Amino acid sequence: MALDTHPLNSLGLPKRPADTRVVVAMSGGVDSSVVAAMLAEEGYDVVGVTLQLYDHGAALAKKGACCAGQDIHDARRVAEAMGFPHYVLDYENMFREAVIDEFADAYLAGATPVPCIRCNERVKFKDLLATAKDLDADCMATGHYIQRKIGPNGPELHAAADPNRDQSYFLFSTTPEQLAYLRFPLGHLASKAETRALAAKYGLSVADKPDSQDICFVPNGNYASVIEKLRPGAADPGEIVDLEGNVLGEHRGVIHYTIGQRRGLGIGGLADPLYVVKLDPETRRVVVGPKEALSTRIVPVREINWLGDGAFEAEAERVVNVRIRSTRPPRPAVIRPLSATEAAVELLDPEEGVSPGQACVFYEPGTSRILGGGWIWRGN
């Protein structure tokens, strides 16, 4: 007997929408709410899931956060309005262990961490994705601005159509297995205005809700105060020294400084401006120097997630574009693999302010494809 076949639906699955269960990761913001409403209107079997990630003091009432307090309420209202089930999962302990603790430890070690990447990697695209499979969902959809396209060797990750909303820097660690299961229905939109227009069309209560800002568990963007609460004694003062080790002043705790910082050093009156070029937590020293001392050409990268074709270490060199901060455009570089998960990345034009703890994301030149990436570290 011939198998009953269906044309692919809008999510690329050979089923009718009514027979396709989709778990939508709902943060309570406009993006994920629009995704849930859009899929529900198309007739999919939508299940909304919101993760309660933290619940401490000011963060609950903070505007522009996600995954706590008011945001959970907003997600629930959208589910009720659109008529699909909604569940809240308590992931506070998991989030603290997998994201917040590492964030604090990385800052104390003089790095500049990106906890949003770890949250996607270790919580949303790992444990929540597993929960979606436990719910017998055919796929999981999110409100991220990134695209999933089918290439000759299977699903590929591509930058969003709107470069101002593109979240590829924060999603480089998505694995091929996860990519096969994930869907990103907003990645092709030309602007955030289109998303808000859809929210208005569906009559969503969050249509005019502000975008999330900063790191969700850091009220008002004050990283240092959060670190001090998590790690008492982290703000011990120390010396500000130049590249030769000469003491120029005293600082109020290494955690208050980042690589490339110029203002707020408290050592004015010098002929030339000085910048933070190194943080040494062990000696509690902040090392400063001229701007040219920030220039970096070779960037050591580890924990690499490769999304390109073939094995990462199969080629001695790869010419790519790399982004070393979320706010900077991709720049030409050469990757030289040292193993399946480590590499030396040579920037063709040196960059300033390359900081351990940030991500180095790889892009295929001339296309929108993300080839993966890794984490910048100090090297041996």
Side-chain angles (χ1 to χ4, degrees):
M1 185 175 68
L3 292 175
D4 185 21
T5 60
H6 291 278
L8 296 181
N9 58 34
S10 64
L11 295 175
L13 297 167
K15 290 184 172 185
R16 295 185 306 141
D19 299 326
T20 306
R21 175 167 293 175
V22 187
V23 163
V24 179
M26 299 183 68
S27 68
V30 64
D31 299 325
S32 57
S33 296
V34 164
V35 167
M38 179 192 306
L39 295 176
E41 188 189 59
E42 288 182 35
Y44 286 97
D45 177 11
V46 172
V47 179
V49 177
T50 299
L51 303 181
Q52 180 171 320
L53 298 181
Y54 58 92
D55 183 6
H56 54 90
L60 282 179
K62 172 177 175 267
K63 291 183 178 179
C66 70
C67 307
Q70 182 63 39
D71 305 291
I72 293 174
H73 176 67
D74 289 342
R76 185 178 291 120
R77 286 178 64 191
V78 169
E80 289 174 353
M82 298 302 298
F84 59 82
H86 174 257
Y87 302 97
V88 178
L89 305 181
D90 182 355
Y91 272 43
E92 283 190 45
N93 290 337
M94 185 179 299
F95 184 68
R96 183 181 180 109
E97 293 170 5
V99 179
I100 296 180
D101 284 345
E102 183 186 75
F103 169 82
D105 292 339
Y107 245 97
L108 290 181
T112 308
V114 191
C116 298
I117 298 176
R118 288 302 197 195
C119 181
N120 290 324
E121 173 188 319
R122 297 177 174 177
V123 180
K124 293 177 182 175
F125 289 179
K126 183 181 178 185
D127 296 288
L128 178 54
L129 192 145
T131 298
K133 291 184 176 180
D134 289 341
L135 291 170
D136 292 325
D138 294 284
C139 62
M140 186 173 93
T142 80
H144 289 106
Y145 286 88
I146 197 163
Q147 298 187 82
R148 174 188 182 274
K149 298 182 178 182
I150 302 299
N153 297 311
E156 299 174 352
L157 202 61
H158 286 256
D162 178 5
N164 295 318
R165 306 299 304 178
D166 176 54
Q167 292 176 288
S168 59
Y169 184 85
F170 301 99
L171 296 170
F172 80 85
S173 60
T174 305
T175 66
E177 294 75 22
Q178 292 166 345
L179 192 55
Y181 192 70
L182 289 164
R183 300 294 187 275
F184 309 105
L186 302 183
H188 68 285
L189 298 183
S191 71
K192 181 62 177 267
E194 290 190 33
T195 305
R196 293 200 181 277
L198 287 169
K201 169 190 169 184
Y202 299 129
L204 302 183
S205 57
V206 295
D208 296 319
K209 187 173 182 177
D211 291 338
S212 57
Q213 302 291 332
D214 296 319
I215 296 170
C216 64
F217 59 88
V218 182
N220 306 314
N222 190 342
Y223 304 143
S225 66
V226 172
I227 304 299
E228 288 182 64
K229 289 178 183 176
L230 293 169
R231 302 289 188 269
D236 291 345
E239 297 173 336
I240 298 177
V241 301
D242 63 19
L243 295 172
E244 284 74 44
N246 300 308
V247 178
L248 304 179
E250 186 176 89
H251 65 74
R252 53 197 178 91
V254 171
I255 61 172
H256 291 281
Y257 301 86
T258 57
I259 303 296
Q261 181 176 333
R262 176 187 171 188
R263 300 183 186 280
L265 300 180
I267 50 173
L270 300 173
D272 298 311
L274 294 176
Y275 300 77
V276 175
V277 298
K278 183 183 178 183
L279 300 172
D280 191 341
E282 293 184 6
T283 62
R284 296 208 308 274
R285 280 185 158 188
V286 172
V287 182
V288 297
K291 191 174 184 180
E292 54 266 26
L294 287 169
S295 184
T296 302
R297 182 180 290 276
I298 304 297
V299 181
V301 179
R302 61 184 176 183
E303 289 185 66
I304 288 171
N305 177 57
W306 179 244
L307 292 172
D309 301 324
F312 175 64
E313 67 273 33
E315 296 183 24
E317 292 187 346
R318 297 177 184 272
V319 178
V320 299
N321 292 330
V322 301
R323 175 177 278 160
I324 58 162
R325 278 189 185 272
S326 63
T327 55
R328 296 185 185 178
R331 303 286 180 82
V334 176
I335 302 176
R336 297 185 178 91
L338 302 175
S339 71
T341 58
E342 288 188 299
V345 175
E346 181 181 356
L347 306 174
L348 300 192
D349 293 311
E351 290 236 22
E352 296 172 353
V354 176
S355 177
Q358 295 282 301
C360 179
V361 182
F362 313 149
Y363 297 83
E364 185 175 70
T367 78
S368 59
R369 187 179 180 187
I370 295 109
L371 298 175
W375 295 92
I376 299 170
W377 66 300
R378 289 186 176 82
N380 294 319

